[in-house]
Amino acid sequence: MSQSLRIEERDTHVLATLDRPEKRNAIDQELVDALHELCATLESEPRTLVLTGAGGTFAAGADIAQLRERRADDARAGINTRCFARIRSLPMPVIAVVDGYALGGGAELAYAADIRIGTPSLKIGNPETGLGIIAAAGATWRLREIVGEPLAAEILLTGRVLGADEALAAGLVTRVLEPDEARDEAARIAARIAALDPAATQATKRALLAPRDAHPAIDLEEQAVLFESPEKMRRMTAFLERKKK
Ligand code: COA
């Protein structure tokens, strides 16, 4: 397992911490490989994932020292793009605690989460065009889905970095808490999710991620499976009989 991705098993979730603070958690190939390894585990044993960064930073981007050496074939291989898409498609929810800098690829990793919690020191944005590249690991479609086209265009075309208040107002994070409190809140959210039916949670996530034209067929198919599940029967019966106890 990589030194730069710390993984801790908790009762209700897996906590993964980008831990390369001396490089502001810049995402290099080693981190990408470690994230793929983590995804493989979470695909075979679905758990909620809480992602965060060490040292008061989420991630200051893809590793620019490695990016500078990459050429056209590396771009086409979509090294970060495929990794973040895999995180986005994990069966159970992904919660990002976004503390401090979340820039470039670091911001795109945060955009891959289902739920984002910020901290007062949050600085999130995409300065890629200033480095002569585009934000190709999710920002051009995912940021637009999250905040809408007008603000996404401004962020991507100007490189303007948002602070916590603005990110909260735009819905880019859904709450802003001090770092320890933000991590506790992520754990509370994971605990709340753990009390729900995992099959229903995973079906909801698949429907949420499906393209527009897949609806409502996908919703009806997912529901058809759940309507036959013993867990649905058990949960609904427990509700209907709760007053008889
Ligand atoms: N890639 C590679 N190395 C990075 C990095 C990145 N994205 N971001 C930071 N680092 C490295 C720095 O080169 C420095 O390394 P060194 O100590 O060997 O010189 C170390 O991390 C600390 O960075 P530093 O800039 O001194 O820290 P800071 O606290 O003054 O500033 C930032 C923090 C995030 C504002 C600044 O590091 C920065 O602008 N990073 C690049 C952001 C960016 O453009 N990201 C988009 C990439 S797609």
Side-chain angles (χ1 to χ4, degrees), residues 25-228:
N25 302 329
I27 300 165
D28 63 355
Q29 186 66 54
E30 183 185 330
L31 253 173
V32 167
D33 292 344
L35 287 166
H36 274 297
E37 204 176 312
L38 173 62
C39 285
T41 306
L42 293 171
E43 285 158 1
S44 58
E45 295 163 48
R47 314 272 311 272
T48 293
L49 171 64
V50 177
L51 259 179
T52 189
T57 297
F58 184 69
D63 189 299
I64 297 169
Q66 292 190 353
L67 269 185
R68 190 180 60 174
E69 305 309 315
R70 290 186 184 155
R71 307 303 295 263
D73 285 348
D74 302 307
R76 292 193 180 99
I79 296 167
N80 291 350
T81 310
R82 283 187 302 105
C83 178
F84 301 167
R86 192 170 179 187
I87 291 168
R88 175 114 191 91
S89 300
L90 283 172
M92 288 291 281
V94 178
I95 304 167
V97 174
V98 197
D99 183 23
Y101 290 107
L103 299 174
E108 291 174 305
L109 176 59
Y111 305 156
D114 299 294
I115 297 169
R116 278 167 297 283
I117 303 172
T119 70
S121 67
L122 178 65
K123 288 187 178 56
I124 189 163
N126 288 93
E128 278 90 341
T129 50
L131 291 167
I133 59 172
I134 73 165
T140 58
W141 66 94
R142 183 69 185 129
L143 181 62
R144 184 170 62 181
E145 287 171 357
I146 300 167
V147 302
E149 207 267 345
L151 184 57
E154 190 194 326
I155 292 169
L156 291 169
L157 295 174
T158 69
R160 189 164 73 79
V161 170
L162 270 49
D165 289 348
E166 210 180 343
L168 182 64
L172 189 44
V173 293
T174 48
R175 57 203 94 179
V176 173
L177 297 165
E178 291 297 335
D180 285 349
E181 182 53 27
R183 278 183 260 279
D184 289 349
E185 179 64 5
R188 278 193 291 274
I189 294 171
R192 196 177 315 139
I193 292 168
L196 309 173
D197 174 23
T201 300
Q202 291 176 38
T204 299
K205 195 165 162 178
R206 282 191 294 272
L208 266 172
L209 265 58
R212 182 69 189 83
D213 62 3
H215 297 283
I218 183 168
D219 307 78
L220 304 187
E221 269 320 302
E222 295 288 359
Q223 195 75 303
V225 173
L226 293 170
F227 270 23
E228 299 290 334

